[in-house]
Amino acid sequence: MARISLKVNGKARTVETDPETPLLYVLRNDLKLNGPKFGCGLSQCGACNVIMDGKAIRSCVTAVKSATNRPVTTLEGLGSTKKLHPLQKAFIDEQALQCGYCINGMVMSAKALLDANPKPTDGQIKAALADNLCRCGAHTRILRAVKRASGQKV
């Protein structure tokens, strides 16, 4: 066990855990942040995506020690039910989900994309979200939501 200092959603947090514990487990179990989902646990689906140092990462395969004193943003860090982040609002407006399990990871990948490229093309959006698996068939609506959030015509 070790004391690990984290910066999650702008707040300093300290947890006592095995440094090799997946960041996902610490976020969900210790910090009670349920935005990142456990999907495959193998870095293949993207349901666990969070943003660390401005990039979308798979928290299921990232050791918590790797996040020490680095900024980590989860879905909870974007907005709230009272004040939605523009991406969250766009996903709702476009009804860009069916089961919703993958959407948290999709939103985090889209956030990292729009932070790096505020006006992405359709191809850039598709490439950025290609590693996030959705089996519901909401891909067209997800694409529209990201375009809407970027202020582009959908």
Side-chain angles (χ1 to χ4, degrees):
M1 298 294 255
R3 289 179 63 88
I4 308 285
S5 297
L6 302 170
K7 294 179 183 175
V8 180
N9 298 332
K11 296 179 182 172
R13 308 291 297 262
T14 301
V15 295
E16 194 156 320
T17 190
D18 179 336
E20 298 298 327
T21 302
L23 177 61
L24 174 65
Y25 297 173
V26 171
L27 294 171
R28 290 184 60 85
N29 301 337
D30 297 304
L31 303 182
K32 307 301 181 203
L33 297 168
N34 294 318
K37 303 291 185 196
F38 183 89
C40 65
L42 301 170
S43 186
Q44 295 180 353
C45 74
C48 66
N49 275 7
V50 299
I51 297 174
M52 185 164 74
D53 293 333
K55 296 182 178 173
I57 65 156
R58 307 295 168 117
S59 64
C60 70
V61 293
T62 301
V64 68
K65 70 180 181 185
S66 300
T68 301
N69 291 320
R70 296 168 73 184
V72 174
T73 304
T74 68
L75 188 70
E76 292 89 343
L78 295 185
S80 67
T81 55
K82 293 182 180 172
K83 186 176 181 185
L84 295 171
H85 183 278
L87 262 169
Q88 293 168 313
K89 183 174 182 336
F91 271 72
I92 292 169
D93 290 346
E94 291 294 335
Q95 299 179 10
L97 59 112
Q98 288 182 11
C99 79
Y101 202 83
C102 69
I103 292 303
N104 296 358
M106 291 274 191
V107 169
M108 299 312 290
S109 292
K111 171 79 167 80
L113 168 66
L114 295 180
D115 286 349
N117 181 1
K119 300 289 182 196
T121 64
D122 287 358
Q124 291 168 326
I125 296 169
K126 289 177 184 175
L129 301 179
D131 291 336
N132 290 74
L133 300 182
C134 170
R135 292 183 174 86
C136 297
H139 296 277
T140 303
R141 292 175 184 240
I142 292 168
L143 176 66
R144 291 173 53 95
V146 176
K147 286 186 78 168
R148 178 186 287 257
S150 70
Q152 299 182 77
K153 185 177 179 182
V154 291

